[in-house]
Amino acid sequence: MTYVNLGSWYQTSIINKDTGPRSIPISKNLSPGSKSLQIPSVHQKQRKPMSSICAVLAKEETLQEDQRKPTFDFKSYMLQKANSVNKALDAAVSLKEPAKIHESMRYSLLAGGKRVRPVLCLAACDLVGGSESMALPAACAVEMIHTMSLMHDDLPCMDNDDLRRGKPTNHIVFGEDVAVLAGDALLSFAFEHVAVSTIHVSPLRIVRAIGELAKAIGAEGLVAGQVVDICSEGLSEVGLEQLEFIHVHKTAKLLEGAVVLGAILGGGTDEEVEKLRKYAISIGLLFQVVDDILDVTKSSQELGKTAGKDLVADKVTYPRLMGIEKSREFAERLLNEAKDMLAGFNQEKAAPLIALANYIAYRQN
């Protein structure tokens, strides 16, 4: 595969490629030995319309500029959806007794973050014809589980990290015991929230969604990836196949769960659900490949978490096995595979998922 700079590829992909500067050939009918160019009066009369020609060219240039503008405002979309998710999370996990456990839950849950997983859930629901209200509890549940996984990841017995999203990790603030329990509480409440708070969706679809979510994070999903990752530390013979298993389960499975939940709750057909599942697996693996690259190319300040920790822990990563350039090529391939899965959908409705795939590929933290 030929390496293509992803940044420049993305810029050109949203611009009309047929536009561009044109040159107008000028023919000079000068005979040898001529001392000056005599312009017949008929040509002098043709000079007059130049202002109208300039006006036409200016208008054409303006139209070309309009064509270059992206039709989907990704930043506004993310802000609006993240705001909906943040409000729902704040309301779902309120301060109550026992105060300490709820403070710990809220500390990590409301610490910011890009909210990529819940937005994926909402976008998938919308794509198959559902409304935001149908998937919002599930979107919040996915974020609760994601937050739990980060809280547990950061513990001394796991990654032993003291910085997350630019803030001290939960166990640094509340202690290891409370951090473990707060993570457990978020995990169990996530399922309760989907079961109790989902509206305008049939019970059969709600049960199906809960089953998908449980499978995504259990011993065949996120936990499986975590365990194999732990067992692989310090081993020299770990290959690409095992590394892919780790990341498909540790990272991609929860992203898959987010997208599939949205598609199920939104009323998607089995065919639509499976296409979106494949899209999600590709962007899930893409997310981790990019994460591995950022871990060795960015600072802790840029990332909002400890940089280079995989290297220190002697973990196997894509850059370690493939090199940074080959890792970037692999990321490009995964991005294209994800977009291929969206080809059969309404492209206007698919715009958020296409933009999210691009965002995951080109993010800087």
Side-chain angles (χ1 to χ4, degrees):
M1 188 190 304
T2 304
Y3 172 64
V4 177
N5 183 283
L6 295 182
S8 60
W9 175 86
Y10 174 62
Q11 298 238 334
T12 56
S13 71
I14 61 172
I15 294 175
N16 187 339
K17 295 178 184 176
D18 294 327
T19 63
R22 302 186 205 175
S23 59
I24 302 173
I26 299 173
S27 176
K28 295 182 180 180
N29 298 316
L30 294 175
S31 58
S34 294
K35 293 183 179 179
S36 63
L37 178 63
Q38 301 297 322
I39 302 176
S41 59
V42 66
H43 286 185
Q44 290 179 359
K45 288 179 183 177
Q46 289 179 347
R47 283 183 176 184
K48 195 172 181 180
M50 280 301 292
S51 59
S52 60
I53 292 172
C54 289
V56 171
L57 290 174
K59 185 176 181 180
E60 182 178 84
E61 188 176 348
T62 302
L63 289 172
Q64 290 173 359
E65 285 295 326
D66 289 340
Q67 289 172 344
R68 291 188 185 106
K69 292 176 183 176
T71 56
F72 177 71
D73 190 341
F74 176 64
K75 185 177 180 181
S76 294
Y77 178 87
M78 287 297 290
L79 287 172
Q80 185 240 318
K81 294 299 181 184
N83 187 47
S84 294
V85 170
N86 287 334
K87 285 180 178 177
L89 289 171
D90 187 30
V93 184
S94 58
L95 274 175
K96 60 181 79 170
E97 293 297 329
K100 185 115 179 191
I101 192 73
H102 288 94
E103 286 171 3
S104 177
M105 291 163 71
R106 286 172 60 86
Y107 176 81
S108 293
L109 187 62
L110 305 177
K114 297 171 282 288
R115 307 304 192 202
V116 169
R117 291 159 188 81
V119 174
L120 280 166
C121 183
L122 297 178
C125 180
D126 180 64
L127 179 59
V128 297
S131 64
E132 182 177 294
S133 62
M134 298 166 78
L136 191 55
C140 289
V142 168
E143 191 65 12
M144 291 174 197
I145 291 170
H146 173 56
T147 300
M148 173 278 299
S149 72
L150 299 181
M151 292 165 70
H152 286 180
D153 264 356
D154 293 335
L155 290 167
C157 63
M158 297 283 280
D159 288 349
N160 192 24
D161 216 333
D162 57 6
L163 189 67
R164 173 70 65 179
R165 291 171 176 169
K167 298 170 66 176
T169 47
N170 198 288
H171 69 274
I172 296 294
V173 178
F174 295 94
E176 290 179 44
D177 46 5
V178 174
V180 170
L181 293 171
D184 292 345
L186 283 171
L187 175 61
S188 59
F189 183 62
F191 290 96
E192 177 187 340
H193 194 56
V194 176
V196 173
S197 301
T198 303
I199 58 173
H200 309 309
V201 179
S202 72
L204 283 176
R205 284 190 177 270
I206 294 173
V207 171
R208 183 181 170 190
I210 290 172
E212 282 281 350
L213 185 56
K215 188 175 181 180
I217 63 173
E220 295 179 20
L222 187 151
V223 171
Q226 290 275 31
V227 169
V228 177
D229 188 27
I230 290 169
C231 295
S232 300
E233 287 183 20
L235 298 181
S236 57
E237 67 273 15
V238 176
L240 280 172
E241 187 176 342
Q242 187 167 342
L243 181 62
E244 185 166 320
F245 177 92
I246 291 169
H247 291 325
V248 162
H249 291 77
K250 183 179 174 181
T251 303
K253 282 294 181 183
L254 189 54
L255 285 160
E256 176 190 338
V259 173
V260 170
L261 257 66
I264 290 172
L265 296 170
T269 65
D270 289 346
E271 183 183 0
E272 289 173 332
V273 169
E274 290 312 307
K275 279 186 178 180
L276 288 170
R277 187 189 300 279
K278 290 175 183 176
Y279 159 85
I281 291 170
S282 291
I283 64 165
L285 192 52
L286 172 64
F287 192 98
Q288 189 58 55
V289 174
V290 172
D291 220 42
D292 284 357
I293 294 170
L294 292 175
D295 189 63
V296 294
T297 58
K298 298 291 180 180
S299 67
S300 297
Q301 186 177 2
E302 289 172 308
L303 295 176
K305 60 183 180 180
T306 307
K309 64 180 182 181
D310 291 342
L311 190 63
V312 172
D314 200 25
K315 283 189 176 183
V316 177
T317 64
Y318 281 100
R320 180 173 166 179
L321 289 183
M322 303 170 70
I324 289 184
E325 293 307 311
K326 288 291 182 184
S327 297
R328 285 175 173 152
E329 288 178 14
F330 185 39
E332 181 192 350
R333 195 185 89 194
L334 290 168
L335 175 63
N336 290 331
E337 287 174 359
K339 288 180 177 178
D340 287 345
M341 290 299 104
L342 301 175
F345 291 96
N346 179 298
Q347 289 303 287
E348 187 176 341
K349 281 198 164 190
L353 291 176
I354 294 169
L356 276 159
N358 286 329
Y359 169 75
I360 287 170
Y362 309 126
R363 66 195 173 93
Q364 297 300 307
N365 56 38

